[in-house]
Coordinates of all heavy atoms in Angstrom, one line a residue:
M1 N 60.6 -41.2 13.4 CA 59.2 -41.3 13.2 C 58.4 -40.1 13.8 O 58.9 -39.5 14.8 CB 58.6 -42.6 14.0 CG 59.2 -43.9 13.4 SD 58.5 -44.4 11.8 CE 57.4 -45.6 12.4
Q2 N 57.4 -39.8 13.1 CA 56.5 -38.7 13.5 C 55.0 -39.1 13.6 O 54.7 -39.9 12.7 CB 56.6 -37.5 12.6 CG 58.0 -36.8 12.7 CD 58.0 -35.5 12.0 OE1 57.5 -35.4 10.8 NE2 58.5 -34.5 12.5
Y3 N 54.3 -38.6 14.6 CA 53.0 -39.2 14.8 C 52.0 -37.9 14.9 O 52.3 -37.0 15.6 CB 52.9 -40.0 16.1 CG 53.9 -41.0 16.1 CD1 55.1 -40.9 16.8 CD2 53.7 -42.3 15.4 CE1 56.0 -41.9 16.9 CE2 54.6 -43.3 15.5 CZ 55.8 -43.1 16.2 OH 56.7 -44.1 16.2
A4 N 50.9 -38.0 14.2 CA 49.9 -37.0 14.3 C 48.5 -37.6 14.5 O 48.2 -38.6 13.7 CB 49.9 -36.1 13.1
L5 N 47.8 -37.2 15.4 CA 46.4 -37.7 15.7 C 45.4 -36.8 15.1 O 45.3 -35.6 15.5 CB 46.2 -37.9 17.2 CG 44.8 -38.5 17.5 CD1 44.7 -40.0 17.2 CD2 44.5 -38.3 19.1
Y6 N 44.5 -37.3 14.2 CA 43.4 -36.5 13.6 C 42.2 -36.9 14.6 O 41.9 -38.0 14.7 CB 43.2 -36.9 12.2 CG 44.3 -36.4 11.3 CD1 45.6 -37.0 11.4 CD2 44.1 -35.5 10.4 CE1 46.7 -36.4 10.7 CE2 45.1 -35.0 9.6 CZ 46.4 -35.5 9.7 OH 47.4 -35.0 8.9
Y7 N 41.5 -35.8 15.0 CA 40.5 -36.0 16.1 C 39.6 -34.8 16.1 O 39.9 -33.8 15.5 CB 41.2 -36.2 17.4 CG 41.6 -34.9 18.1 CD1 40.9 -34.3 19.1 CD2 42.7 -34.2 17.6 CE1 41.2 -33.1 19.6 CE2 43.1 -33.0 18.1 CZ 42.4 -32.5 19.1 OH 42.7 -31.2 19.7
Y8 N 38.5 -34.9 16.8 CA 37.8 -33.8 17.3 C 37.2 -34.1 18.7 O 37.1 -35.2 19.2 CB 36.7 -33.3 16.3 CG 35.6 -34.3 15.9 CD1 34.5 -34.6 16.8 CD2 35.7 -34.9 14.7 CE1 33.6 -35.5 16.3 CE2 34.7 -35.8 14.3 CZ 33.6 -36.1 15.1 OH 32.6 -36.9 14.7
D9 N 37.0 -33.0 19.5 CA 36.7 -33.0 20.9 C 35.5 -33.9 21.3 O 35.5 -34.6 22.2 CB 36.6 -31.6 21.5 CG 37.9 -31.0 21.6 OD1 39.0 -31.6 21.7 OD2 38.0 -29.7 21.4
S10 N 34.4 -33.7 20.5 CA 33.2 -34.5 21.0 C 33.1 -35.9 20.6 O 32.1 -36.5 20.8 CB 32.0 -33.7 20.4 OG 32.0 -33.7 19.0
C11 N 34.2 -36.4 20.0 CA 34.2 -37.8 19.6 C 34.7 -38.6 20.7 O 35.9 -38.5 21.2 CB 35.1 -37.9 18.3 SG 35.7 -39.7 18.1
P12 N 33.9 -39.6 21.3 CA 34.3 -40.3 22.5 C 35.5 -41.3 22.1 O 36.3 -41.6 23.0 CB 33.1 -41.2 22.8 CG 32.2 -41.1 21.6 CD 32.5 -39.9 20.9
F13 N 35.6 -41.8 20.9 CA 36.7 -42.7 20.6 C 38.0 -41.8 20.6 O 39.1 -42.4 20.9 CB 36.5 -43.3 19.2 CG 35.2 -44.1 19.2 CD1 34.0 -43.5 18.6 CD2 35.1 -45.4 19.7 CE1 32.8 -44.2 18.7 CE2 33.9 -46.0 19.8 CZ 32.7 -45.5 19.2
C14 N 37.9 -40.6 20.1 CA 39.1 -39.7 20.2 C 39.5 -39.4 21.6 O 40.7 -39.4 21.9 CB 38.8 -38.4 19.4 SG 38.3 -38.6 17.8
Q15 N 38.5 -39.2 22.5 CA 38.9 -39.0 23.8 C 39.6 -40.1 24.5 O 40.6 -39.9 25.3 CB 37.6 -38.7 24.7 CG 36.9 -37.3 24.4 CD 37.9 -36.2 24.6 OE1 38.7 -36.2 25.6 NE2 37.7 -35.1 23.9
R16 N 39.2 -41.3 24.1 CA 40.0 -42.5 24.6 C 41.4 -42.5 24.3 O 42.3 -42.7 25.0 CB 39.4 -43.8 23.9 CG 38.8 -44.8 24.9 CD 38.5 -46.0 24.1 NE 37.0 -46.2 24.1 CZ 36.4 -47.1 23.4 NH1 37.1 -47.9 22.6 NH2 35.1 -47.2 23.4
V17 N 41.7 -42.1 23.0 CA 43.1 -42.0 22.5 C 43.8 -40.8 23.2 O 44.9 -41.0 23.7 CB 43.1 -41.8 21.0 CG1 44.7 -41.7 20.6 CG2 42.5 -43.0 20.3
L18 N 43.1 -39.7 23.3 CA 43.7 -38.5 23.9 C 44.1 -38.8 25.4 O 45.1 -38.3 25.8 CB 42.8 -37.3 23.9 CG 42.5 -36.8 22.4 CD1 41.4 -35.7 22.4 CD2 43.8 -36.0 22.0
H19 N 43.3 -39.5 26.1 CA 43.5 -39.8 27.5 C 44.7 -40.8 27.6 O 45.4 -40.8 28.7 CB 42.3 -40.5 28.2 CG 41.3 -39.4 28.6 ND1 40.0 -39.6 28.2 CD2 41.4 -38.3 29.3 CE1 39.3 -38.5 28.7 NE2 40.2 -37.7 29.3
A20 N 45.0 -41.5 26.6 CA 46.2 -42.5 26.7 C 47.5 -41.7 26.4 O 48.6 -42.3 26.7 CB 45.9 -43.6 25.7
L21 N 47.4 -40.6 25.7 CA 48.7 -40.0 25.2 C 49.6 -39.6 26.2 O 50.9 -39.9 26.0 CB 48.3 -38.7 24.4 CG 47.6 -38.9 23.0 CD1 47.5 -37.6 22.2 CD2 48.3 -39.9 22.2
P22 N 49.2 -39.1 27.4 CA 50.3 -38.8 28.4 C 51.1 -40.0 28.9 O 52.1 -39.8 29.5 CB 49.4 -38.2 29.6 CG 48.2 -37.8 29.0 CD 47.9 -38.7 27.9
N23 N 50.6 -41.2 28.7 CA 51.3 -42.4 29.1 C 52.0 -43.1 28.1 O 52.5 -44.2 28.3 CB 50.2 -43.4 29.8 CG 49.6 -42.7 31.0 OD1 50.2 -42.1 31.8 ND2 48.3 -42.8 31.1
V24 N 52.2 -42.6 26.9 CA 53.0 -43.1 25.9 C 54.4 -42.4 25.7 O 54.4 -41.3 26.2 CB 52.3 -43.2 24.4 CG1 50.9 -43.9 24.6 CG2 52.1 -41.9 23.8
K25 N 55.3 -43.1 25.2 CA 56.7 -42.5 25.2 C 57.0 -41.6 24.1 O 58.1 -41.0 24.0 CB 57.7 -43.7 25.3 CG 57.6 -44.5 26.6 CD 58.8 -45.5 26.6 CE 58.6 -46.4 27.9 NZ 58.5 -47.8 27.5
V26 N 56.1 -41.6 23.1 CA 56.4 -40.8 21.9 C 55.5 -39.6 21.9 O 54.5 -39.5 22.5 CB 56.1 -41.6 20.6 CG1 57.2 -42.7 20.4 CG2 54.8 -42.1 20.5
A27 N 56.0 -38.5 21.1 CA 55.2 -37.3 21.0 C 54.2 -37.4 19.9 O 54.6 -38.0 18.8 CB 56.2 -36.1 20.7
V28 N 53.0 -37.0 20.2 CA 51.9 -37.1 19.2 C 51.3 -35.7 18.9 O 50.8 -35.2 19.9 CB 50.9 -38.1 19.5 CG1 49.8 -38.2 18.5 CG2 51.5 -39.5 19.9
E29 N 51.5 -35.2 17.7 CA 50.9 -33.9 17.4 C 49.4 -34.1 17.3 O 48.9 -35.1 16.8 CB 51.4 -33.4 16.1 CG 50.9 -32.0 15.7 CD 51.3 -31.7 14.3 OE1 52.4 -32.2 13.8 OE2 50.6 -30.8 13.7
Q30 N 48.6 -33.1 17.9 CA 47.2 -33.3 17.9 C 46.6 -32.4 16.7 O 46.8 -31.2 16.7 CB 46.6 -32.9 19.2 CG 47.0 -33.9 20.3 CD 46.5 -33.5 21.7 OE1 45.5 -32.8 21.8 NE2 47.2 -34.0 22.7
R31 N 45.8 -33.0 15.8 CA 45.3 -32.2 14.6 C 43.8 -32.3 14.7 O 43.2 -33.3 14.3 CB 45.8 -32.8 13.3 CG 47.3 -32.6 13.3 CD 47.9 -33.0 11.9 NE 49.3 -32.7 11.9 CZ 50.1 -33.1 10.9 NH1 49.6 -33.8 9.9 NH2 51.4 -32.8 10.9
N32 N 43.2 -31.2 15.2 CA 41.7 -31.1 15.3 C 41.1 -30.8 14.0 O 41.3 -29.7 13.3 CB 41.3 -30.0 16.3 CG 39.9 -30.0 16.6 OD1 39.0 -30.0 15.7 ND2 39.6 -29.8 17.9
V33 N 40.4 -31.7 13.4 CA 39.9 -31.7 12.1 C 38.7 -30.8 11.9 O 38.3 -30.4 10.8 CB 39.5 -33.1 11.5 CG1 40.7 -34.0 11.5 CG2 38.4 -33.7 12.3
L34 N 38.1 -30.4 13.0 CA 36.9 -29.5 12.9 C 37.4 -28.0 13.0 O 36.9 -27.1 12.3 CB 35.9 -29.7 14.1 CG 35.1 -31.0 13.9 CD1 34.0 -31.1 15.0 CD2 34.6 -31.3 12.5
K35 N 38.5 -27.8 13.9 CA 39.0 -26.5 14.0 C 39.9 -26.1 12.7 O 40.0 -25.0 12.4 CB 39.9 -26.4 15.2 CG 39.1 -26.3 16.5 CD 39.8 -26.0 17.7 CE 38.9 -25.9 18.9 NZ 39.7 -26.1 20.2
N36 N 40.4 -27.2 12.1 CA 41.3 -26.9 10.9 C 40.9 -27.9 9.7 O 41.3 -29.0 9.7 CB 42.7 -27.1 11.3 CG 43.6 -26.6 10.2 OD1 43.3 -26.5 9.0 ND2 44.9 -26.3 10.6
P37 N 40.0 -27.3 8.9 CA 39.4 -28.2 7.9 C 40.5 -28.7 6.9 O 40.3 -29.8 6.2 CB 38.5 -27.2 7.1 CG 38.2 -26.1 8.0 CD 39.4 -26.0 8.9
E38 N 41.7 -28.1 6.9 CA 42.8 -28.6 6.1 C 43.2 -30.0 6.5 O 43.5 -30.9 5.7 CB 43.9 -27.5 6.2 CG 44.9 -27.7 5.1 CD 46.0 -26.6 5.2 OE1 45.7 -25.4 5.4 OE2 47.2 -27.1 5.4
F39 N 43.1 -30.2 7.8 CA 43.5 -31.5 8.4 C 42.5 -32.6 7.9 O 42.9 -33.7 7.5 CB 43.6 -31.5 9.9 CG 44.7 -30.7 10.5 CD1 44.6 -30.0 11.6 CD2 45.9 -30.7 9.8 CE1 45.7 -29.3 12.2 CE2 47.0 -29.9 10.4 CZ 46.8 -29.3 11.5
R40 N 41.3 -32.2 7.9 CA 40.2 -33.2 7.4 C 40.4 -33.4 6.0 O 40.3 -34.6 5.6 CB 38.8 -32.5 7.7 CG 37.7 -33.5 7.6 CD 36.4 -32.7 7.9 NE 35.3 -33.7 8.1 CZ 34.9 -34.3 9.1 NH1 35.7 -34.2 10.2 NH2 33.9 -35.1 9.1
Q41 N 40.7 -32.5 5.2 CA 40.9 -32.7 3.7 C 42.1 -33.5 3.5 O 42.1 -34.5 2.7 CB 41.1 -31.3 3.1 CG 39.8 -30.6 2.8 CD 40.0 -29.1 2.6 OE1 41.1 -28.7 2.3 NE2 38.9 -28.3 2.7
Q42 N 43.2 -33.3 4.2 CA 44.4 -34.1 4.1 C 44.1 -35.6 4.4 O 44.5 -36.5 3.6 CB 45.5 -33.8 5.2 CG 46.4 -32.7 4.9 CD 47.2 -32.4 6.2 OE1 47.2 -33.2 7.2 NE2 47.9 -31.3 6.2
Q43 N 43.4 -35.9 5.4 CA 43.1 -37.2 5.8 C 42.2 -37.8 4.8 O 42.4 -39.0 4.4 CB 42.3 -37.3 7.2 CG 42.0 -38.7 7.6 CD 41.1 -38.7 8.8 OE1 40.9 -37.7 9.5 NE2 40.4 -39.9 9.0
A44 N 41.1 -37.1 4.3 CA 40.2 -37.6 3.3 C 40.9 -37.9 2.0 O 40.7 -38.9 1.4 CB 39.1 -36.7 3.1
K45 N 41.8 -37.0 1.6 CA 42.6 -37.3 0.3 C 43.4 -38.5 0.5 O 43.5 -39.3 -0.5 CB 43.4 -36.0 0.1 CG 44.0 -36.0 -1.3 CD 44.7 -34.7 -1.6 CE 45.4 -34.7 -2.9 NZ 46.4 -33.8 -3.0
A46 N 44.1 -38.7 1.6 CA 45.0 -39.8 1.7 C 44.3 -41.1 2.0 O 44.8 -42.2 1.5 CB 46.0 -39.5 2.9
T47 N 43.2 -41.1 2.7 CA 42.6 -42.4 3.1 C 41.2 -42.7 2.5 O 40.7 -43.8 2.5 CB 42.4 -42.4 4.6 OG1 41.4 -41.5 5.0 CG2 43.7 -42.1 5.4
G48 N 40.6 -41.6 1.9 CA 39.2 -41.8 1.4 C 38.2 -41.8 2.5 O 37.0 -42.0 2.2
R49 N 38.6 -41.5 3.7 CA 37.7 -41.5 4.9 C 37.9 -40.3 5.8 O 39.0 -39.8 5.8 CB 38.0 -42.8 5.7 CG 37.7 -44.1 5.0 CD 38.2 -45.3 5.9 NE 37.5 -45.4 7.1 CZ 37.8 -46.3 8.1 NH1 38.7 -47.1 7.9 NH2 37.1 -46.3 9.2
T50 N 36.8 -40.0 6.5 CA 37.0 -38.8 7.5 C 36.8 -39.3 8.8 O 36.6 -38.5 9.8 CB 36.0 -37.7 7.1 OG1 34.6 -38.3 7.1 CG2 36.3 -37.0 5.8
T51 N 36.7 -40.6 9.0 CA 36.5 -41.2 10.4 C 37.7 -40.8 11.3 O 38.9 -40.9 10.9 CB 36.5 -42.8 10.3 OG1 35.5 -43.1 9.4 CG2 36.2 -43.4 11.7
V52 N 37.4 -40.4 12.5 CA 38.4 -40.1 13.5 C 38.1 -41.0 14.8 O 36.9 -41.4 14.9 CB 38.4 -38.7 13.9 CG1 38.9 -37.8 12.9 CG2 37.0 -38.2 14.4
P53 N 39.0 -41.3 15.6 CA 40.4 -40.9 15.5 C 41.2 -41.7 14.3 O 40.8 -42.8 14.0 CB 41.0 -41.4 16.9 CG 40.2 -42.6 17.3 CD 38.8 -42.2 16.7
C54 N 42.2 -41.0 13.9 CA 43.0 -41.6 12.8 C 44.5 -41.1 13.1 O 44.7 -39.9 13.3 CB 42.6 -41.1 11.5 SG 43.6 -41.9 10.1
L55 N 45.4 -42.0 13.1 CA 46.8 -41.7 13.4 C 47.6 -41.7 12.1 O 47.6 -42.7 11.4 CB 47.4 -42.7 14.4 CG 48.8 -42.4 14.9 CD1 48.8 -41.1 15.8 CD2 49.4 -43.6 15.6
L56 N 48.3 -40.7 11.9 CA 49.3 -40.6 10.8 C 50.6 -40.9 11.3 O 51.1 -40.2 12.3 CB 49.2 -39.2 10.2 CG 50.3 -38.9 9.1 CD1 50.3 -39.8 8.0 CD2 50.2 -37.4 8.7
I57 N 51.3 -41.8 10.7 CA 52.6 -42.3 11.1 C 53.5 -42.0 9.9 O 53.2 -42.5 8.8 CB 52.6 -43.8 11.4 CG1 51.5 -44.2 12.4 CG2 54.0 -44.3 11.8 CD1 51.1 -45.6 12.4
Q58 N 54.5 -41.2 10.1 CA 55.5 -40.8 9.1 C 56.9 -41.3 9.5 O 57.4 -40.9 10.5 CB 55.5 -39.4 8.9 CG 54.4 -38.9 7.9 CD 54.4 -37.4 7.7 OE1 54.5 -36.7 8.7 NE2 54.4 -36.9 6.5
D59 N 57.5 -42.1 8.6 CA 58.8 -42.6 8.9 C 59.8 -41.5 8.5 O 59.5 -40.4 7.9 CB 59.1 -43.9 8.3 CG 59.3 -43.9 6.8 OD1 59.5 -42.8 6.2 OD2 59.2 -45.0 6.2
D60 N 61.1 -41.8 8.7 CA 62.1 -40.7 8.4 C 62.4 -40.4 7.0 O 62.9 -39.4 6.6 CB 63.4 -41.2 9.1 CG 63.3 -41.2 10.6 OD1 62.4 -40.5 11.2 OD2 64.1 -41.9 11.3
Q61 N 61.8 -41.3 6.1 CA 61.9 -41.0 4.7 C 60.6 -40.3 4.2 O 60.4 -40.0 3.0 CB 62.0 -42.3 3.9 CG 63.4 -42.9 3.8 CD 63.8 -43.5 5.2 OE1 63.0 -44.2 5.8 NE2 65.0 -43.2 5.7
G62 N 59.7 -40.0 5.1 CA 58.5 -39.3 4.7 C 57.4 -40.3 4.3 O 56.3 -39.8 3.9
K63 N 57.6 -41.6 4.4 CA 56.5 -42.5 4.0 C 55.4 -42.5 5.0 O 55.7 -42.5 6.2 CB 57.1 -43.9 3.9 CG 56.2 -44.9 3.2 CD 56.9 -46.2 3.0 CE 55.8 -47.3 2.8 NZ 56.1 -48.5 3.6
E64 N 54.2 -42.4 4.5 CA 53.0 -42.3 5.4 C 52.3 -43.6 5.6 O 52.1 -44.4 4.6 CB 52.0 -41.2 4.8 CG 52.6 -39.8 4.8 CD 51.5 -38.9 4.3 OE1 50.5 -39.3 3.9 OE2 51.8 -37.7 4.4
Q65 N 51.7 -43.8 6.8 CA 50.9 -44.9 7.1 C 49.7 -44.3 7.9 O 50.0 -43.5 8.8 CB 51.6 -46.0 7.8 CG 50.9 -47.3 7.9 CD 51.7 -48.2 9.0 OE1 52.9 -48.1 9.1 NE2 50.9 -49.1 9.6
W66 N 48.5 -44.6 7.6 CA 47.3 -44.2 8.3 C 46.7 -45.2 9.1 O 46.4 -46.3 8.5 CB 46.3 -43.5 7.4 CG 46.9 -42.3 6.7 CD1 47.8 -42.3 5.7 CD2 46.6 -40.9 7.0 NE1 48.0 -41.0 5.2 CE2 47.4 -40.1 6.1 CE3 45.9 -40.2 8.0 CZ2 47.3 -38.7 6.1 CZ3 45.9 -38.8 8.0 CH2 46.5 -38.1 7.0
L67 N 46.5 -45.0 10.4 CA 45.9 -46.1 11.3 C 44.5 -45.7 11.9 O 44.5 -44.6 12.5 CB 46.9 -46.4 12.4 CG 46.5 -47.5 13.4 CD1 46.4 -48.9 12.7 CD2 47.6 -47.6 14.4
F68 N 43.5 -46.4 11.6 CA 42.2 -46.2 12.3 C 42.0 -47.0 13.4 O 42.8 -48.0 13.7 CB 41.1 -46.4 11.2 CG 41.0 -45.4 10.0 CD1 41.7 -45.7 8.8 CD2 40.4 -44.2 10.2 CE1 41.6 -44.8 7.8 CE2 40.3 -43.3 9.2 CZ 40.9 -43.6 8.0
E69 N 40.8 -46.8 14.1 CA 40.4 -47.7 15.3 C 41.1 -47.3 16.5 O 42.3 -47.5 16.7 CB 40.5 -49.1 15.0 CG 39.6 -49.7 14.0 CD 38.1 -49.5 14.4 OE1 37.8 -49.6 15.6 OE2 37.3 -49.2 13.5
S70 N 40.4 -46.7 17.5 CA 41.0 -46.1 18.7 C 41.7 -47.2 19.5 O 42.9 -46.9 19.9 CB 39.8 -45.6 19.6 OG 38.8 -46.5 19.8
A71 N 41.2 -48.4 19.6 CA 42.0 -49.4 20.4 C 43.2 -49.8 19.6 O 44.3 -50.0 20.3 CB 41.1 -50.7 20.4
D72 N 43.3 -49.8 18.3 CA 44.5 -50.2 17.5 C 45.5 -49.1 17.7 O 46.7 -49.3 17.8 CB 44.2 -50.4 16.1 CG 43.3 -51.7 15.9 OD1 43.3 -52.5 16.8 OD2 42.7 -51.9 14.8
I73 N 45.0 -47.8 17.6 CA 45.9 -46.6 17.8 C 46.6 -46.7 19.2 O 47.8 -46.5 19.3 CB 45.1 -45.3 17.6 CG1 44.6 -45.3 16.1 CG2 46.0 -44.1 18.0 CD1 43.6 -44.1 15.8
I74 N 45.8 -46.9 20.2 CA 46.3 -46.9 21.6 C 47.3 -48.0 21.7 O 48.5 -47.8 22.2 CB 45.3 -47.1 22.6 CG1 44.3 -45.8 22.7 CG2 45.8 -47.3 24.0 CD1 43.0 -45.9 23.4
R75 N 47.0 -49.2 21.2 CA 47.9 -50.3 21.3 C 49.3 -50.0 20.6 O 50.4 -50.2 21.1 CB 47.3 -51.6 20.7 CG 48.1 -52.8 21.1 CD 47.3 -54.1 20.6 NE 45.9 -54.1 20.9 CZ 44.9 -54.1 20.1 NH1 45.1 -54.0 18.8 NH2 43.7 -54.1 20.5
F76 N 49.1 -49.4 19.4 CA 50.3 -49.1 18.6 C 51.2 -48.2 19.3 O 52.4 -48.4 19.4 CB 49.8 -48.5 17.2 CG 51.0 -48.0 16.4 CD1 51.7 -48.8 15.6 CD2 51.4 -46.6 16.5 CE1 52.8 -48.4 14.8 CE2 52.4 -46.2 15.8 CZ 53.1 -47.0 14.9
L77 N 50.6 -47.1 19.9 CA 51.4 -46.0 20.5 C 52.0 -46.6 21.8 O 53.2 -46.2 22.1 CB 50.5 -44.7 20.8 CG 50.1 -44.0 19.6 CD1 49.1 -42.9 20.0 CD2 51.3 -43.3 19.0
Q78 N 51.3 -47.4 22.5 CA 51.9 -48.0 23.8 C 53.1 -48.9 23.4 O 53.9 -49.1 24.3 CB 50.8 -48.7 24.5 CG 49.9 -47.8 25.2 CD 48.7 -48.6 25.8 OE1 48.4 -49.7 25.5 NE2 48.0 -47.8 26.7
N79 N 53.2 -49.4 22.2 CA 54.3 -50.3 21.8 C 55.5 -49.5 21.3 O 56.4 -50.2 20.9 CB 53.8 -51.3 20.8 CG 53.0 -52.4 21.5 OD1 53.1 -52.7 22.7 ND2 52.0 -52.9 20.8
Q80 N 55.4 -48.2 21.1 CA 56.5 -47.4 20.6 C 57.4 -47.0 21.7 O 57.0 -46.9 22.9 CB 56.0 -46.2 19.9 CG 55.0 -46.5 18.8 CD 55.5 -47.5 17.8 OE1 56.6 -47.4 17.2 NE2 54.8 -48.6 17.7
Ligands
LIG101 N1 35.4 -48.1 16.0 C1 36.0 -46.7 15.7 C2 34.8 -45.8 15.8 C3 35.2 -44.4 15.2 C4 33.9 -43.5 15.0 O1 32.8 -44.0 14.9 N2 34.2 -42.2 14.8 C5 33.2 -41.3 14.5 C6 33.1 -40.1 15.4 S1 32.9 -40.5 17.1 C7 33.4 -40.7 13.1 O2 34.4 -40.3 12.7 N3 32.2 -40.8 12.3 C8 32.3 -40.2 11.0 C9 32.8 -41.0 9.9 O3 33.0 -42.3 10.1 O4 33.1 -40.5 8.8 C10 37.0 -46.4 16.8 O5 37.0 -47.1 17.9 O6 37.9 -45.6 16.5

C-alpha cells in the first residue's frame, strides 16, 4: 500500500493530520497542493473536490481510494 496526503500549510485540519503522522506506522508522502498545482489537479480530477486534507490510498494493484475528513484520515492511518 502507498499513502499520499494532499494538504496545504495554512489549513488547520491539515495540520491536525500532519501532527499525527510521526506516530503512525506507515510512510505517508506529503503533497502540498498550493506549491504543486499538479497535485491539486490530480485530486480534483479524481474526486471532483479540492478539499484538503485528503488521503490517497493506493493498493499494490494501483487501485486508488481517496479519503476526506481529518478525523477519518487520522483514524485510518492509526489503524494501519
Ligand atoms: N471537516 C473537514 C474540513 C476540511 C476543510 O474545511 N478544508 C478546507 C481548508 S482548511 C478546504 O479545503 N476548503 C476548500 C474546499 O473545500 O474546497 C476536515 O476535518 O477535514
Side-chain angles (χ1 to χ4, degrees):
M1 296 285 258
Q2 288 189 319
Y3 307 97
L5 180 70
Y6 290 67
Y7 79 101
Y8 55 80
D9 287 328
S10 61
C11 161
F13 303 99
C14 300
Q15 288 299 330
R16 239 189 248 171
V17 179
L18 290 167
H19 281 126
L21 291 187
N23 298 317
V24 304
K25 293 190 186 116
V26 293
V28 180
E29 184 187 333
Q30 296 179 22
R31 296 186 175 173
N32 187 315
V33 299
L34 294 187
K35 288 190 178 158
N36 190 338
E38 201 179 300
F39 291 147
R40 196 176 185 84
Q41 284 161 15
Q42 271 174 15
Q43 182 193 341
K45 191 173 172 200
T47 70
R49 298 172 62 184
T50 55
T51 305
V52 289
C54 181
L55 184 71
L56 170 60
I57 304 155
Q58 274 180 309
D59 71 17
D60 295 337
Q61 281 73 46
K63 190 176 164 225
E64 294 184 352
Q65 192 189 332
W66 297 77
L67 181 64
F68 288 96
E69 290 299 323
S70 52
D72 292 343
I73 293 169
I74 291 168
R75 194 176 310 114
F76 173 85
L77 290 172
Q78 285 174 342
N79 286 330
Q80 303 310 301

